[in-house]
Amino acid sequence: VAGRCFGAALMKDQDTAVDIVSSMVRTAAASSSSQSTGIGNNNNNKKLPVSVKTRIGVDDDDSFEFIANFVQRLVDEAGCTKFVIHARKVYMQGLSPAQNRDVPPLDYPRVFRLMNKFPQCSFLINGGMKSLDHARKVAFGSNVKFDGECESGENESESGISNDVTGRNNGDDDHDVVPCQKCNLPQGSCLNPPSIAPPNLRGVMVARLARDRPADLADVDRYFYGEASNPCKNRRELMERYISFLERVYPRRCCDDDQTNTLERVLTPIVHTRPCCNICREFRGQNYGASDGDIIAPSEIVPNEKSPKKVQPSERVSNDGKPQRKQGNKRARRHAKYDGAKIVTRIVDRALQPTWGILAGEPGKNVFRRMSHELSRDKTVRNCGPGYILWKAMKSVSDDVWDKPFELSGGKSSTYYPTK
């Protein structure tokens, strides 16, 4: 981003940043205004929100005055009032993007100070969320009591948050300095939650925790949002729902006559000539509504086979309904070498990547990930779709692991710290 002057580099060119955001705010307002004057006007035509995600400093410009002045200009000159603050600075030279997510220390106190300075704005805080319990303390405050957590056992407010807000100052003034000695975290980061969260803190952003340990967020509906229960009780239920999603987004290509490759999310229906092939027959059900004579194996569909109805380039339609350009570029020529595998490896990897951390801390994690990788490279099964590959990879791990109930949050210990 430094060489092209976008992203965090715009913190050093604040005039350009203000012009960009101002133009977005004006365009969003004009778009909302045109919608409100159209036919069928209703109350759902709200102003499109425009937000800015920024770090708290760049290179040597890492003082509170610098980030406060930057936000002030975006508020006064651009009209932006929504901010997502990544609570660490960025080095434009000397560190890679990956290192910039680890090396600069996190500074929560500075972000909370920024919120107090701009009470008219709404904020989300990003960076370093260690667990669901930590995220809730940051979002609501460490001294806030929820239903079922009060020693007195008295009824709380309907919002689930206790009316008792005593202890607004918990005496952790030594957390105001980074490097923070009390948190004892890498690079001197300070992730200490406030006693009572600022009223304009509207949420927290979780990234690497969701990537590395998605099962740690299984209790988010109940523990964070106050729902009566969570949608999934164990990993098997979660994976089955995700497999159903993959079947819709990246459907199987083992039994269709279209010879084009799946290079992106499929929005138009795939017309299958057969209910399933011999490989994915077990996954899709033994009695799939077809006789044995209607089922073939993907190996029987060879690349040079002339299909009954080959889709010509002029007939191909992209996801936006426009004619798809001929697959004559370098990437398409590379896909043509896949020996009949219509779903490319990149698509399968994209579909499976969110599941790689689902077994973090559980037996079988490495076996599951290795099997997922091997199956995604297997040209004989790739056309059966990412949903089938994920289902097949799950069989490499004991049923007890998938059926083990999710552990509820609240007092659950965790040594996880997001890195890389």
Side-chain angles (χ1 to χ4, degrees), residues 4-22:
R4 303 181 189 180
C5 194
F6 68 91
L10 288 172
M11 296 183 72
K12 285 193 168 186
D13 187 2
Q14 296 188 8
D15 290 339
T16 301
V18 169
D19 289 342
I20 293 174
V21 177
S22 178

Side-chain angles (χ1 to χ4, degrees), residues 372-401:
S372 299
H373 177 79
E374 292 176 357
L375 289 171
S376 69
R377 266 68 183 168
D378 188 344
K379 299 174 184 177
T380 64
V381 303
R382 200 186 302 159
N383 282 348
C384 294
Y388 167 78
I389 292 176
L390 186 56
W391 173 83
K392 188 71 174 178
M394 288 177 61
K395 289 186 169 295
S396 64
V397 180
S398 170
D399 289 342
D400 294 338
V401 176

